[in-house]
Amino acid sequence: MTLQKPSRAAAGAFRKLALAACAAGLLQGAAMSAHAANAVVLYTADGLENLYRDVLPAFEKKEGVKVNIVTAGSGEVVNRANIEKHSPKADVIVTLPPFIQQAGQMGLLQPYQSVNYKNVPAIAKAEDGTWATFVNNYFSFAINPDIVKNQPKTFADLLAPAYAGKVAYSNPATAGDGMAVLILTTSLMGEDKAFDYLAKLSQSVKFHTKGTGYLNVLLSRNEISVANGDLQMDLDDAEHGALSVKPIFLAAKDGDRPTTFQLPYGIGLIKSGPNQDAGRKLIDYLMSTEVQSKVPDMYGIPGRTDVPLAGKNGEAVKKAIAGVNLIPVDWTQVMAKKPEWIERWKKDVIGSSGKQLDVVKPK
């Protein structure tokens, strides 16, 4: 397996720094060399590194096959798979919505009805078997609790002078968590008011990152005060990465309940991948009871309904989401709106500001 295990205390910070610093190079170079004889290649959105590190050695030993991992933002891994469409380099992809649905629409995924999909709810998987929910999750924002003493409660709170130049969120064109910012604000405010709000917020935004994983490192280093993220990654980074990060949920306005939605990691088999047999076995393994039962250890929610959200960390997830209003998302509508939203975001929010949109490692 390509990931090396650093010390527990430094694991999260090290991997975020290393992965973010070389993400562009990975996608341009490592994808070309990741596939080797007797290997299976996994393209994955960031956030699940500790889970992979924990469970993949057993798969490699059992199957006698090496797992090579390429990690980046959700949109990036789908874009790379699309570039390689006529000569695929990867076998399995894990990414957030709406990018997993986009990969299906682009014809990048091979239908595969894994036996372990049977306990994934119908609403959480494609009818044709092109993808299924691997790890359930929730969209969140995050702060550095050592620095931000008065936790923001509403979206309007982020417009306060105290946050000027201290906000960052990932680019919605390249990151699933970045697209989630557009999804949540448009759901709560309506499209016009949402883009008006994001334009105002842009005055406080320092930059936008290519993926979301590096933002927690920036929070912990006090380079920013507020960022977008997801609950699984934020809680995992706080414990296993020793980062000063606290997930929060925002309300539309004073008096409203904080609100969010499910933002699951989806898994699919790459069409015509170089090692499809091993790819199918990897999907079966990652969706197995053995692996799914370990998902709560990393603060994720098992994609299978027959595997409980249990243990100390599972209880922490339940506590974090208690009292938060969960709204449904029509991913078909999101897919239809996505191109328009991205163009509007670039035009009405970014405009001619010169704001950086693809920060990997800040200068």
Side-chain angles (χ1 to χ4, degrees):
M1 186 173 62
T2 57
L3 295 179
Q4 300 297 317
K5 187 173 183 179
S7 66
R8 180 180 177 86
F14 176 81
R15 67 177 167 81
K16 297 291 184 187
L17 285 166
L19 288 171
C22 66
L26 277 173
L27 285 176
Q28 293 172 6
M32 299 301 294
S33 59
H35 182 71
N38 211 32
V40 59
V41 179
L42 169 64
Y43 282 4
T44 180
D46 48 19
L48 296 175
E49 291 85 351
N50 283 332
L51 178 63
Y52 295 139
R53 188 176 290 115
D54 186 35
V55 304
L56 289 182
F59 173 81
E60 293 179 324
K61 182 177 180 180
K62 176 183 177 182
E63 299 297 337
V65 60
K66 183 178 177 62
V67 181
N68 292 334
I69 303 175
V70 176
T71 305
S74 290
E76 275 194 276
V77 294
V78 172
N79 183 58
R80 171 53 54 182
N82 188 46
I83 290 173
E84 299 167 351
K85 185 174 183 177
H86 300 294
S87 182
K89 304 297 186 294
D91 304 293
V92 176
I93 191 167
V94 171
T95 190
L96 299 178
F99 295 99
I100 190 69
Q101 290 90 344
Q102 181 183 30
Q105 288 187 1
M106 296 167 75
L108 304 179
L109 305 181
Q110 175 71 43
Y112 174 55
Q113 294 286 0
S114 171
V115 65
N116 290 328
Y117 287 174
K118 65 181 180 181
N119 289 306
V120 177
I123 196 173
K125 59 186 176 184
E127 290 184 4
D128 63 358
T130 47
W131 62 269
T133 294
F134 167 36
V135 176
N136 238 323
N137 196 11
Y138 296 97
F139 174 65
S140 65
F141 289 88
I143 60 171
N144 181 333
D146 296 331
I147 303 299
V148 179
K149 299 303 182 182
N150 295 316
Q151 177 178 316
K153 305 292 186 184
T154 69
F155 283 94
D157 289 345
L158 299 185
L159 302 178
Y163 296 111
K166 299 292 285 183
V167 177
Y169 63 91
S170 47
N171 186 334
T174 58
D177 293 313
M179 176 56 64
V181 174
L182 302 190
I183 294 171
L184 186 57
T185 53
T186 55
S187 296
L188 296 178
M189 305 175 190
E191 287 189 30
D192 291 341
K193 289 184 178 179
F195 282 100
D196 286 345
Y197 167 78
L198 292 173
K200 293 176 183 177
L201 181 64
S202 187
Q203 299 173 35
S204 296
V205 170
K206 189 172 184 178
F207 45 62
H208 300 281
T209 50
K210 207 168 196 177
T212 309
Y214 193 69
L215 287 168
N216 283 350
V217 176
L218 298 179
L219 284 171
S220 195
R221 295 197 316 213
N222 192 28
E223 294 190 30
I224 54 175
S225 296
V226 182
N228 67 316
D230 58 68
L231 185 62
Q232 178 274 326
M233 181 171 63
D234 294 340
L235 290 174
D236 193 32
D237 279 347
E239 179 182 351
H240 299 134
L243 298 181
S244 184
V245 173
K246 177 185 177 182
I248 63 171
F249 301 96
L250 299 177
K253 60 181 184 297
D254 287 329
D256 286 358
R257 290 167 61 192
T259 300
T260 192
F261 59 92
Q262 288 189 336
L263 191 64
Y265 294 91
I267 190 169
L269 184 70
I270 296 289
K271 187 175 183 179
S272 302
N275 199 344
Q276 283 205 327
D277 286 343
R280 292 184 182 93
K281 290 179 181 179
L282 179 59
I283 289 175
D284 291 345
Y285 175 70
L286 292 175
M287 295 302 299
S288 68
T289 302
E290 176 187 354
V291 171
Q292 290 283 300
S293 64
K294 293 183 178 181
V295 166
D297 295 344
M298 307 302 171
Y299 297 98
I301 302 168
R304 290 174 50 159
T305 56
D306 61 328
V307 179
L309 178 60
K312 175 178 68 72
N313 292 353
E315 292 303 316
V317 172
K318 294 177 185 178
K319 182 178 178 180
I321 207 69
V324 177
N325 180 39
L326 300 178
I327 60 173
V329 173
D330 184 340
W331 293 108
T332 300
Q333 182 183 36
V334 170
M335 282 299 302
K337 284 287 188 178
K338 179 175 173 284
E340 175 189 337
W341 283 352
I342 290 175
E343 287 307 309
R344 187 169 182 180
W345 182 77
K346 291 178 179 178
K347 177 178 177 290
D348 296 347
V349 176
I350 303 303
S352 58
S353 67
K355 199 83 67 176
Q356 290 178 279
L357 303 182
D358 57 357
V359 169
V360 175
K361 185 176 182 180
K363 297 178 182 178

